[in-house]
C-alpha cells in the first residue's frame, strides 16, 4: 500500500513502478500487476519488466495470444535477460504446448546456465502429473544451476523419494554444505525418509539429529523421529517424541502421533496408558482400524476383556478389517465369539 501511494505521488517513477509490478505478481494480484505494468509501459514502451508483467497478467486471465505477444516482444528487446524466456516457458507449459516449452527450456539451459526457474516449473508440472522420476530429473537440472540452494535440493530429494529412488535423494543432500543442508526442514524430512527407504533407520535418525531445531521441531519431523526410535528399539525415547507431536497436531496427523505413542507405550509394557493413547488416536480418526485392533490388544493386556470385545465388535462391521480381527482372535482366543449352541454339542 505504501508503494502504491508513493506511485500516486510520483507516477513517473519507473523504478517504483517496476517494484510495484513485482510485488503485485508475488502477491498473486494479476489485475494490479497489469495496471502497474501498463503505467510503466506508457513511460517506457520497451521496458522488460512492464512487458513481462503484462504478459504474465494476460496469461493469468487466459489471453494467451496477448501474453505471447508481450513476452516475445520482451525477448526481442532484451535478448540477454532470462526473465521473458522464463515467463514464456511458464505460459507454454500451462497451455500444454510441451514441445515449444522444451525448446524454450533448452534455450535457457544453453544461454543462461544459472537460471533454474524453467526447470523448477517443469519439475512442478511433472509432480502434479505424478511423473516422479521425470520430476527428479528436472529438479536435478535446476540444482545444477544453483548447487548451493537447499530449497532446490529439497525438491530433488522429495521427488526422488516419491519415485522410490532414495540414492538420488541422498546425493542431492550430499552436494550441499552441511549448514545449508541442516536448515531446510523439507530436505531433512526427505533425506531421512530416503535413508529409511534404503533400510537404514540409524542413518535416517542421524539426518534428523544434524538438523537445526527449527527443522526438527515440526510435528511431521517429530513423528518420523518417533518412528525411527521405535524401529531402533528405543521405545522409551520414542514415547515423549510422539506425545509432543500429538500435542502440536490435529486431525489425521494427531491420530498418527497418538497411535505411535500407544505403540511405544506397549513396548514399554504400559497397556493402560497405551489404551488411552489409541483411544485418542481413534477420536481424531475413527477409520484407522489398525489402531482399533491395537486398542483391543492393549485392553486385553490391561485385563479389560469386555472393552476389547467391544472393539472387536466394531472391527467385525468392516469387511476390510477381517485380517486384523483374525489376528486378534489368534493371539487372544478369549476374544473369539462364542460358538452357537448347536456347534457346542
Amino acid at each position: 500500500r505504501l508503494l502504491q501511494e508513493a506511485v500516486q505521488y510520483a507516477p513517473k517513477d519507473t523504478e517504483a513502478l517496476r517494484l510495484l509490478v513485482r510485488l503485485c505478481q508475488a502477491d498473486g494480484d494479476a489485475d494490479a500487476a497489469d495496471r502497474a505494468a501498463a503505467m510503466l509501459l506508457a513511460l517506457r514502451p520497451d521496458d522488460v519488466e512492464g512487458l513481462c508483467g503484462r504478459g504474465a497478467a494476460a496469461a493469468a486471465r487466459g489471453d494467451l495470444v496477448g501474453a505471447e505477444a508481450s513476452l516475445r516482444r520482451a525477448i526481442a528487446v532484451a535478448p540477454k535477460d532470462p526473465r521473458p524466456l522464463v515467463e514464456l516457458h511458464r505460459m507454454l507449459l500451462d497451455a500444454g504446448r510441451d514441445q515449444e516449452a522444451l525448446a524454450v527450456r533448452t534455450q535457457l539451459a544453453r544461454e543462461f546456465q544459472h537460471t533454474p526457474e524453467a526447470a523448477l516449473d517443469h519439475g512442478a508440472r511433472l509432480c502434479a502429473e505424478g511423473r516422479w522420476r521425470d520430476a527428479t530429473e528436472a529438479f536435478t537440472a535446476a540444482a545444477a544451476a544453483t548447487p548451493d540452494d537447499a530449497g532446490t535440493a529439497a525438491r530433488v530429494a522429495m521427488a526422488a523419494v516419491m519415485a522410490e529412488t532414495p540414492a538420488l535423494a541422498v546425493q542431492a543432500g550430499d552436494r550441499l554444505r552441511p549448514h545449508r543442508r541442516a536448515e531446510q526442514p523439507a530436505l531433512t524430512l526427505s533425506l531421512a525418509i530416503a535413508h529409511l527407504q534404503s533400510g537404514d533407520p540409524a542413518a535416517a535418525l542421524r539426518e534428523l539429529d544434524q538438523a537445526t531445531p527449527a527443522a526438527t521441531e515440526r510435528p511431521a519431523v517429530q513423528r518420523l523421529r518417533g518412528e525411527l526410535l521405535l524401529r531402533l528399539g528405543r521405545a522409551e525415547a520414542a514415547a515423549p517424541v510422539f506425545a509432543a507431536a500429538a500435542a502440536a497436531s490435529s486431525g489425521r496427523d494427531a491420530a498418527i502421533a497418538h497411535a505411535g505413542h500407544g505403540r511405544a507405550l506397549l513396548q514399554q509394557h504400559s497397556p493402560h496408558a497405551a489404551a488411552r493413547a489409541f483411544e485418542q488416536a481413534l477420536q481424531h480418526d475413527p477409520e484407522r482400524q489398525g489402531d482399533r485392533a491395537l486398542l483391543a490388544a492393549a485392553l486385553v493386556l490391561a485385563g479389560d476383556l469386555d472393552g476389547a470385545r467391544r472393539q472387536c465388535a466394531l472391527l467385525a462391521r468392516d469387511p476390510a478389517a477381517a485380517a486384523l480381527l483374525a489376528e486378534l482372535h489368534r493371539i487372544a482366543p478369549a476374544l473369539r465369539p462364542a460358538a452357537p449352541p448347536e456347534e457346542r454339542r
Side-chain angles (χ1 to χ4, degrees):
R1 182 178 294 176
L2 288 174
L3 185 57
Q4 289 174 328
E5 291 177 358
V7 168
Q8 288 177 354
Y9 284 110
K12 295 186 178 182
D13 186 339
T14 55
E15 284 305 317
L17 285 168
R18 288 190 188 100
L19 183 55
L20 185 57
V21 171
R22 292 175 197 160
L23 289 176
C24 290
Q25 285 181 317
D27 198 40
D29 191 340
D31 290 338
D34 194 28
R35 290 194 297 272
M39 292 173 65
L40 180 56
L41 290 173
L43 297 172
R44 294 192 175 182
D46 288 337
D47 188 273
V48 174
E49 196 73 56
L51 290 168
C52 287
R54 295 228 75 180
R61 62 174 179 265
D63 178 12
L64 299 185
V65 173
E68 185 169 0
S70 291
L71 294 173
R72 291 200 181 278
R73 181 178 167 192
I75 292 168
V77 167
K80 294 186 178 181
D81 190 331
R83 290 173 300 165
L85 284 167
V86 169
E87 290 293 345
L88 178 61
H89 174 264
R90 190 169 292 148
M91 187 216 78
L92 293 170
L93 268 186
D94 290 341
R97 293 160 61 179
D98 293 346
Q99 290 303 312
E100 293 172 83
L102 174 60
V104 174
R105 202 159 56 245
T106 302
Q107 182 180 352
L108 275 164
R110 182 177 64 250
E111 299 177 8
F112 305 97
Q113 291 88 354
H114 301 294
T115 301
E117 287 84 359
L120 290 173
D121 289 340
H122 186 218
R125 171 56 57 87
L126 293 167
C127 287
E129 295 173 356
R131 297 168 57 187
W132 298 109
R133 289 179 182 271
D134 292 336
T136 303
E137 184 177 338
F139 288 140
T140 300
T146 53
D148 289 331
D149 185 70
T152 303
R155 290 178 173 88
V156 177
M158 178 273 298
V161 163
M162 294 301 295
E164 299 183 357
T165 53
L168 295 179
V170 173
Q171 287 174 15
D174 288 345
R175 284 193 289 265
L176 285 177
R177 297 173 186 173
H179 74 279
R180 300 301 302 274
R181 174 174 173 159
E183 64 192 13
Q184 173 57 253
L187 180 59
T188 295
L189 192 57
S190 295
L191 291 176
I193 294 172
H195 286 301
L196 195 56
Q197 284 181 334
S198 299
D200 192 348
L205 187 59
R206 285 196 299 273
E207 194 70 49
L208 298 186
D209 288 340
Q210 292 168 7
T212 62
T216 56
E217 289 172 0
R218 298 193 175 197
V221 179
Q222 288 177 321
R223 291 195 302 273
L224 179 58
R225 177 184 289 279
E227 192 64 43
L228 293 170
L229 288 167
L230 270 186
R231 294 196 183 195
L232 292 169
R234 297 169 59 186
E236 188 173 337
V241 173
F242 277 125
S249 304
S250 60
R252 183 175 180 273
D253 290 341
I256 295 170
H258 281 299
H261 190 206
R263 288 185 289 122
L265 291 168
L266 274 181
Q267 289 190 24
Q268 294 179 78
H269 309 292
S270 300
H272 293 87
R276 288 193 294 273
F278 290 125
E279 286 169 350
Q280 289 176 299
L282 290 166
Q283 286 173 5
H284 286 282
D285 188 351
E287 302 303 316
R288 288 174 60 86
Q289 301 293 35
D291 295 344
R292 193 174 300 283
L294 287 170
L295 171 57
L299 290 169
V300 169
L301 293 172
D304 185 357
L305 288 177
D306 288 340
R309 289 189 183 106
R310 285 193 293 272
Q311 298 305 318
C312 288
L314 292 171
L315 286 169
R317 298 177 185 176
D318 183 358
L324 291 171
L325 193 57
E327 181 63 14
L328 278 172
H329 290 165
R330 185 187 70 79
I331 63 175
L335 297 180
R336 293 174 183 168
E342 59 273 15
E343 290 187 18
R344 289 202 294 269
R345 296 194 198 101

